[in-house]
Amino acid sequence: MDKLILYRELIQRLLTARAKLRSGSDPIESQTIFDTTKDHYQLVHVGWKDSSTRIYGCVLHIDIKDEKIWVQHDGTEDAIADQLVSEGVPKQDIVIAYHAPHVRQYTEFSVG
């Protein structure tokens, strides 16, 4: 299977699985947003806490650029990059984009 298609399917599967972790009775909804044309993928939380506090925020943002997976934001406890690696994605195909470019050389992942 083409690497780009494989990465698209893997990202969508992982974000969908994470979105389903929230209880059905939870007033906060987890939504997946997939732009498969431009390869932008997000998991956002939307809702109200205690009927007075608005919850809205991007929890995960992943892009695919030049056949690499760019983790733009990861606000979760279980790093999506580690999950991608456990699913067979080579570390050289993952960029931890929320690290400054000069810091990426000290990680096990791609610098860009």
Side-chain angles (χ1 to χ4, degrees), residues 2-105:
D2 179 89
K3 185 165 85 171
L4 183 58
I5 293 171
L6 179 68
Y7 286 174
R8 284 177 176 150
E9 290 177 0
L10 176 60
I11 291 167
Q12 289 177 65
R13 182 170 52 84
L14 293 176
L15 294 185
T16 299
R18 286 182 181 225
K20 291 180 179 176
L21 293 176
R22 191 169 290 281
S23 165
S25 62
D26 192 328
I28 310 301
E29 179 182 354
S30 294
Q31 298 180 352
T32 55
I33 300 169
F34 302 148
D35 176 354
T36 56
T37 303
K38 296 186 178 182
D39 285 320
H40 303 296
Y41 307 88
Q42 291 188 342
L43 175 65
V44 297
H45 289 173
V46 178
W48 288 91
K49 179 180 176 183
D50 303 327
S51 302
S52 60
T53 303
R54 178 71 174 159
I55 302 295
Y56 179 85
C58 174
V59 179
L60 279 165
H61 178 163
I62 298 172
D63 295 331
I64 299 175
K65 298 192 300 188
D66 300 325
E67 297 195 356
K68 290 187 178 182
I69 298 173
W70 289 65
V71 180
Q72 302 287 2
H73 176 73
D74 186 347
T76 67
E77 292 181 15
D78 300 321
I80 193 76
D82 291 339
Q83 196 170 7
L84 290 165
V85 170
S86 71
E87 292 284 338
V89 178
K91 288 183 177 179
Q92 65 265 21
D93 281 359
I94 301 171
V95 178
I96 309 298
Y98 54 83
H99 286 314
H102 70 278
V103 173
R104 293 180 199 155
Q105 64 184 313

